[in-house]
Amino acid sequence: MQFSSSRARLRQARLAGDRRELYPHSLQFYLEPPTESISLVEFESFAIDRLKLLKVVENLGVSYIKGNDVYKTKLGSELRKLKFPYKALAEDDYEARRKDHISHFILRLAYCQSEDLRRWFLQQEIDLLRYRFNELTDSLRQKFLEHVNLSFEAISEDMKNELTNELLASTPGFSVAKVKEQIFYKVGLADAVDLFRTRRVFIKDGFAYVPLKDIDAIVLSNYRTKLSKALALTARSLPSIQSDERLQPLLNHLSHCYVGPDYSVQKNTGKISLDQIDALSVKSFPLCMRQLHKALRDNHHLRHGGRMQYGLFLKGIGLTLDQALEFWKKEFIRGKVDADKFDKGYAYSIRHNYGREGKRTDYTPYSCMKIIMSNPPSQGDYHGCPFRHSDPELLKQKLQSYKIAPSGITQILELVKGMHYQLACQKYFELTHYVDDIGFSLNHPNQYFTESQRLLNGGRELKKEINNSGNFQQKNNSQEGTNSNSTPTSSKATADAELEGLDEYFAED
């Protein structure tokens, strides 16, 4: 894949690549990488849109039965919203198919870097293909099978009539009429292992007789094998790819970049007072921040990782710089840090987080993915994600101490076991707020706080408060949005301008 910083070259490349024969079908196994030139702006946009889509696939797969009407409706809506192929019969979706192709390979680069990332990417891509394949008509499924060289032999009508009783007995949900109208394929047993294990297929002489409706199991097994191998090969070639200084910041951070709304302090300043924090930590803080707040109150100190994670969260929910300095100083001087040591050793980093020192960067709160994927806690640390970094038994004890019902704890631990850490936090939200379905995908600790307050206040905003210094804080009328489909700000002027903004967009600490 090549990159151009010129709009003219970008337009020329698009015209040269606008050949519909490149994408004869809405679906593909992504066997051939794209070779056209694209801008860094488009590179970033495609990657973020596909990441949003895969996050939705993950969330729906845990929240609903895969393939039921609600699942299909919600996933189809997301495909349309993000402009990925969703109508197999559409003749004018070249741009959608192109985006689908390129975005897959971009995320393949980002998600081949560790076993956990590869496993996550593989599962979401398989679930996405399953949905899209099952939405095809019978004739289009047949064309797709031929396109990916899975053109299994369809048995003749005479053989089907001869085997009607056996096919009827071995194919759940089929009537005699359904057997007669359905196409059956003669497939090698090695390709139909999953169907054989679940006793959903008729076996004879080393062949499985698979109805068209169940051929997806074979397609997905084949796709899993190819994609798994491709991810391993891509991982080996990463050093040469990462030598490109234009791509390195993107690829290094896409695997845990946040694609939701911006929880910057400008939209929240003055919404809470210091006196409210203890109560809010119990009812509206996510578990990671509740854990940090308790550790701070108990020990009157947090290490650097904890101060960064918790301090930026508090900034995001509305603490001003003056409030933050007062909050941390009062707590630290209750321990082994005197006022003079705090002013000399700790106040600078707090002002730095608010953009008042150093390179004057106004840092934003950490997202869930950043907390999960970077800087794991060590002995004596309290930062990180409790669902990702805590021992399951200790996590169970913590949840019990917070009066979570045993059945709820079991559900959370099952999600943790499946490495669905954000969904475990989402379940924690539902259990502590007594709701069955929160109706959004949880991606950020500050989103947790905002949604909790909205729910507890009956949809009303937090009222403006008097801070501890007696200064009246004016409420900002620009309320923080929680639409998970809002995208990070990126410059559309030129690819060069976009490149200049990448370091700030993906700034670490």
Side-chain angles (χ1 to χ4, degrees):
M1 199 183 297
Q2 299 175 347
F3 301 90
S4 164
S5 61
S6 164
R7 283 185 173 182
R9 289 174 61 189
L10 174 59
R11 286 196 298 270
Q12 186 178 7
R14 279 191 171 183
L15 290 172
D18 191 11
R19 297 188 298 270
R20 299 186 189 281
E21 62 269 20
L22 289 175
Y23 307 115
H25 298 279
S26 293
L27 300 186
Q28 57 170 305
F29 275 179
Y30 310 101
L31 301 178
E32 297 293 332
T35 56
E36 65 174 285
S37 298
I38 67 170
S39 70
L40 284 168
V41 173
E42 198 168 34
F43 184 100
E44 177 192 354
S45 173
F46 281 7
I48 288 174
D49 279 355
R50 192 174 194 93
L51 185 55
K52 286 182 180 180
L53 178 61
L54 296 186
K55 293 285 186 183
V56 170
V57 170
E58 178 189 30
N59 188 54
L60 292 178
V62 175
S63 303
Y64 303 98
I65 298 173
K66 294 175 184 177
N68 73 6
D69 290 341
V70 177
Y71 177 91
K72 291 191 291 186
T73 299
K74 288 181 177 290
L75 187 48
S77 173
E78 196 67 23
L79 284 166
R80 288 193 296 274
K81 190 183 305 176
L82 296 173
K83 297 182 179 178
F84 284 99
Y86 67 96
K87 285 185 179 179
L89 292 173
E91 297 179 357
D92 60 349
D93 67 346
Y94 166 76
E95 286 298 332
R97 296 181 188 193
R98 173 178 171 271
K99 179 179 181 178
D100 176 50
H101 183 215
I102 294 173
S103 64
H104 169 89
F105 277 91
I106 296 172
L107 286 197
R108 186 188 288 187
L109 288 173
Y111 278 78
C112 70
Q113 300 178 64
S114 73
E115 182 60 34
D116 284 348
L117 291 176
R118 288 194 290 270
R119 188 184 300 115
W120 183 87
F121 180 72
L122 184 65
Q123 185 59 56
Q124 310 323 316
E125 286 285 343
I126 286 173
D127 286 346
L128 178 60
L129 184 73
R130 176 189 291 113
Y131 164 79
R132 295 172 65 189
F133 180 79
N134 287 329
E135 289 296 293
L136 298 177
T137 62
D138 287 353
S139 61
L140 287 172
R141 287 187 197 180
Q142 180 62 38
K143 289 180 180 179
F144 173 70
L145 292 176
E146 294 171 359
H147 178 63
V148 295
N149 296 318
L150 290 177
S151 49
F152 303 118
E153 176 190 354
I155 66 175
S156 65
E157 288 298 319
D158 290 341
M159 179 173 287
K160 187 168 28 173
N161 291 333
E162 181 182 333
L163 298 174
T164 296
N165 291 334
E166 289 86 349
L167 295 175
L168 179 64
S170 60
T171 311
F174 268 31
S175 62
V176 174
K178 188 68 174 175
V179 168
K180 291 186 178 297
E181 69 181 35
Q182 183 79 178
I183 300 173
F184 281 81
Y185 294 90
K186 189 176 180 180
V187 178
L189 189 56
D191 289 322
V193 171
D194 291 340
L195 293 172
F196 174 65
R197 283 175 181 161
T198 54
R199 301 188 178 188
R200 291 164 51 199
V201 69
F202 173 59
I203 303 293
K204 181 180 180 182
D205 298 332
F207 288 95
Y209 291 79
V210 183
L212 182 60
K213 79 172 186 69
D214 286 336
I215 208 74
D216 64 339
I218 297 172
V219 171
L220 295 172
S221 176
N222 193 280
Y223 179 54
R224 179 187 291 274
T225 300
K226 292 181 185 300
L227 182 54
S228 181
K229 181 179 179 181
L231 284 167
L233 291 174
T234 306
R236 282 187 227 164
S237 64
L238 264 184
S240 61
I241 297 170
Q242 290 178 329
S243 63
D244 189 329
E245 62 183 15
R246 298 167 300 172
L247 298 183
Q248 189 172 5
L250 267 172
L251 294 180
N252 284 348
H253 298 282
L254 263 177
S255 59
H256 55 277
C257 90
Y258 172 60
V259 294
D262 175 22
Y263 289 95
S264 58
V265 71
Q266 288 83 358
K267 297 180 180 179
N268 293 312
T269 302
K271 286 193 172 182
I272 66 170
S273 68
L274 298 185
D275 291 337
Q276 291 179 287
I277 293 179
D278 285 334
L280 289 172
S281 71
V282 174
K283 62 183 182 181
S284 288
F285 280 17
L287 190 57
C288 57
M289 301 304 170
R290 187 174 181 179
Q291 172 177 282
L292 283 165
H293 182 76
K294 185 177 187 304
L296 178 62
R297 290 302 198 205
D298 290 346
N299 304 321
H300 313 300
H301 187 270
L302 285 176
R303 290 182 175 177
H304 177 72
R307 296 197 305 274
M308 287 293 293
Q309 181 176 321
Y310 189 42
L312 289 174
F313 170 78
L314 292 175
K315 175 188 175 186
I317 68 173
L319 256 65
T320 64
L321 174 57
D322 289 340
Q323 284 180 307
L325 288 168
E326 181 181 349
F327 172 77
W328 289 101
K329 186 173 185 177
K330 277 186 174 180
E331 197 59 51
F332 271 45
I333 62 176
R334 293 176 63 191
K336 298 179 180 180
V337 177
D338 60 35
D340 186 57
K341 183 178 180 181
F342 179 88
D343 291 337
K344 292 179 178 178
Y346 296 97
Y348 177 90
S349 64
I350 296 172
R351 293 195 300 271
H352 189 271
N353 285 346
Y354 280 77
R356 304 296 176 84
E357 300 285 358
K359 61 181 181 178
R360 308 287 176 174
T361 298
D362 193 12
Y363 293 105
T364 57
Y366 289 179
S367 68
C368 291
M369 283 305 292
K370 180 163 185 173
I371 293 171
I372 290 169
M373 299 299 297
S374 60
N375 190 23
S378 56
Q379 185 70 28
D381 286 329
Y382 295 93
H383 66 272
C385 171
F387 303 105
R388 169 67 179 88
H389 298 119
S390 293
D391 177 81
E393 187 57 38
L394 293 177
L395 176 61
K396 180 180 179 180
Q397 293 174 15
K398 187 184 297 291
L399 294 172
Q400 288 173 337
S401 71
Y402 292 156
K403 311 300 182 185
I404 304 297
S407 60
I409 294 175
T410 300
Q411 294 177 65
I412 289 174
L413 293 178
E414 281 298 313
L415 289 167
V416 169
K417 185 178 179 181
M419 295 187 295
H420 301 295
Y421 308 118
Q422 290 168 245
L423 296 175
C425 189
Q426 193 165 304
K427 176 58 67 175
Y428 173 77
F429 183 104
E430 292 171 353
L431 293 168
T432 53
H433 291 77
Y434 307 102
V435 293
D436 293 329
D437 185 356
I438 59 178
F440 59 86
S441 297
L442 189 58
N443 296 301
H444 202 292
N446 290 82
Q447 179 192 15
Y448 185 109
F449 177 82
T450 300
E451 294 294 345
S452 172
Q453 283 295 297
R454 181 174 289 127
L455 184 66
L456 294 174
N457 294 329
R460 297 187 303 274
E461 305 296 345
L462 271 170
K463 297 179 180 179
K464 47 193 175 185
E465 298 288 342
I466 306 266
N467 69 12
N468 280 7
S469 302
N471 296 325
F472 192 67
Q473 298 293 323
Q474 185 65 33
K475 178 184 172 185
N476 190 324
N477 292 325
S478 176
Q479 167 61 19
E480 181 74 52
T482 54
N483 181 0
S484 63
N485 297 306
S486 63
T487 58
T489 303
S490 61
S491 172
K492 301 300 181 183
T494 66
D496 289 335
E498 174 64 21
L499 179 59
E500 291 173 3
L502 286 178
D503 289 340
E504 291 300 322
Y505 177 72
F506 289 110
E508 274 295 305
D509 288 327

